[in-house]
Amino acid sequence: MRVCGVELKGGEAIISLLSYEGDTFNMPECRSRALTISNSAKTESIKEFHFAFCKLMQDYKVDEVAVIEREQKGKLAGSATSFKMETAIQLCGLPVQLISPQTIKEQLKRNPPMVDFEGLDLKRFQKSAFEVAYTLQNKHIFAKAD
């Protein structure tokens, strides 16, 4: 199964692909580490982001998307642009799981990755996207074990 982890920050969707085949995690190469939206007030910008994200998922044969859940209210609330991006992602026709930061933290504590993050071919800003993809993969692995 191949999943795409997404962290939405402002007008940027930071992504990390992670596949699990056999008993091994793999980090597939990806032509893009982040997708941006230029002006979320314009319909054309949202459509361009939607097309680019869906095309990326199709090209890399992604089965499911995991997005880090953001607060809707309060001091730590996500931006309006990030919620528009989340909607565009959800309309790509793939299953999308919203995963809370608390769930990610618990999963990483329970099942830490066997490799150090610095050993992966990822940029530091992709760490959260990797962690949400890893959390979703583990949810599927341990759901099968039950």
Side-chain angles (χ1 to χ4, degrees), residues 97-127:
Q97 297 280 332
L98 297 177
I99 301 177
S100 73
Q102 296 81 12
T103 302
I104 296 168
K105 194 174 190 177
E106 290 168 10
Q107 187 63 248
L108 291 172
K109 188 175 182 179
R110 202 174 316 130
N111 300 301
M114 296 294 198
V115 65
D116 191 31
F117 182 78
E118 282 74 29
L120 301 174
D121 189 28
L122 295 173
K123 300 291 183 191
R124 177 171 272 132
F125 68 88
Q126 289 179 283
K127 185 173 183 180

Side-chain angles (χ1 to χ4, degrees), residues 24 27 30 83 103 108 129 136:
T24 309
M27 300 291 304
C30 186
F83 286 106
T103 302
L108 291 172
L136 181 59

Side-chain angles (χ1 to χ4, degrees), residues 32-56:
S32 183
R33 297 176 194 269
L35 297 172
T36 59
I37 193 163
S38 54
N39 183 355
S40 68
K42 294 189 176 190
T43 305
E44 196 57 39
S45 293
I46 301 292
K47 287 181 179 179
E48 287 171 8
F49 172 80
H50 173 72
F51 176 79
F53 189 87
C54 293
K55 182 68 174 150
L56 193 68

Side-chain angles (χ1 to χ4, degrees), residues 53-65:
F53 189 87
C54 293
K55 182 68 174 150
L56 193 68
M57 297 301 103
Q58 181 182 24
D59 290 351
Y60 289 97
K61 297 176 176 54
V62 172
D63 299 306
E64 196 166 0
V65 179

